């Protein structure tokens, strides 16, 4: 079993972010829905950096759960949290009783990219604080 630490979380989060960053709606075969999930994985992994650095785990893996857990150890911009939590409503897939998905468009990806970039930047800072 692969052991994850904060540097691994950051590396994997950055890899997912770069995939989404390079997407081009005019010639890309990836759909907005697939990129939404790629960016979701990027955000999830980058938020895990802050938790791992502080030896904590979230209660679950939604943006809401991850921000609640990380807010105990990192101060987040409230606007960033609010915007990401709003975007998680496109795919509420964790509970079978309340399962729902909404169509994701390229405009949603355009809104999510800068938010994911902010989270990645904060995760990188957490790593450098740890090693610096």
């Amino acid at each position: 079993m692969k052991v994850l630490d904060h540097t691994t979380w950051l590396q994997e989060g950055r890899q997912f972010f770069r995939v989404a960053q390079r997407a081009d709606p005019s010639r890309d075969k990836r759909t907005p829905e697939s990129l939404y999930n790629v960016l979701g994985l990027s955000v999830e992994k980058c938020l895990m950096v802050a938790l791992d650095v502080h030896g904590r785990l979230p209660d679950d893996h939604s943006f809401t759960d991850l921000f609640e857990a990380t807010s105990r150890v990192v101060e987040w911009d409230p606007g960033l949290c609010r915007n990401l939590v709003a975007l998680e409503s496109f795919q509420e897939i964790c509970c079978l009783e309340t399962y729902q998905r909404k169509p994701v468009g390229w405009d949603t990806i355009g809104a999510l990219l800068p938010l994911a970039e902010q989270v990645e930047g904060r995760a990188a800072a957490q790593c450098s604080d740890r090693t610096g």
Side-chain angles (χ1 to χ4, degrees):
M1 173 182 238
K2 180 171 132 180
V3 176
L4 297 178
D5 66 9
H6 60 279
T7 57
T8 305
W9 289 114
L10 181 61
Q11 177 186 14
E12 291 179 357
R14 283 178 165 164
Q15 288 170 339
F16 282 116
F17 181 69
R18 281 193 299 269
V19 166
Q21 207 175 25
R22 290 190 305 256
D24 181 349
S26 65
R27 58 188 169 103
D28 205 301
K29 293 181 181 176
R30 287 170 275 210
T31 64
E33 287 84 5
S34 67
L35 290 171
Y36 174 90
N37 288 309
V38 167
L39 283 167
L41 287 167
S42 174
V43 168
E44 182 176 351
K45 287 180 178 286
C46 287
L47 289 172
M48 286 301 297
V49 170
L51 293 172
D52 188 70
V53 163
H54 295 281
R56 296 179 173 253
L57 290 173
D59 292 329
D60 212 336
H61 67 276
S62 71
F63 291 158
T64 300
D65 298 317
L66 288 162
F67 273 116
E68 284 177 5
T70 58
S71 68
R72 295 181 191 115
V73 294
V74 174
E75 187 174 331
W76 292 104
D77 170 25
L80 172 66
C81 297
R82 193 172 39 256
N83 290 334
L84 274 171
V85 167
L87 287 171
E88 85 179 341
S89 68
F90 280 93
Q91 291 189 10
E92 295 177 1
I93 59 175
C94 295
C95 179
L96 292 176
E97 290 83 25
T98 59
Y99 174 90
Q100 70 174 22
R101 292 179 59 200
K102 298 177 195 170
V104 176
W106 287 105
D107 56 329
T108 302
I109 300 306
L112 185 50
L113 271 166
L115 301 175
E117 186 172 24
Q118 288 179 49
V119 174
E120 184 276 329
R122 192 61 185 265
Q126 287 290 306
C127 281
S128 67
D129 289 350
R130 177 72 173 209
T131 59

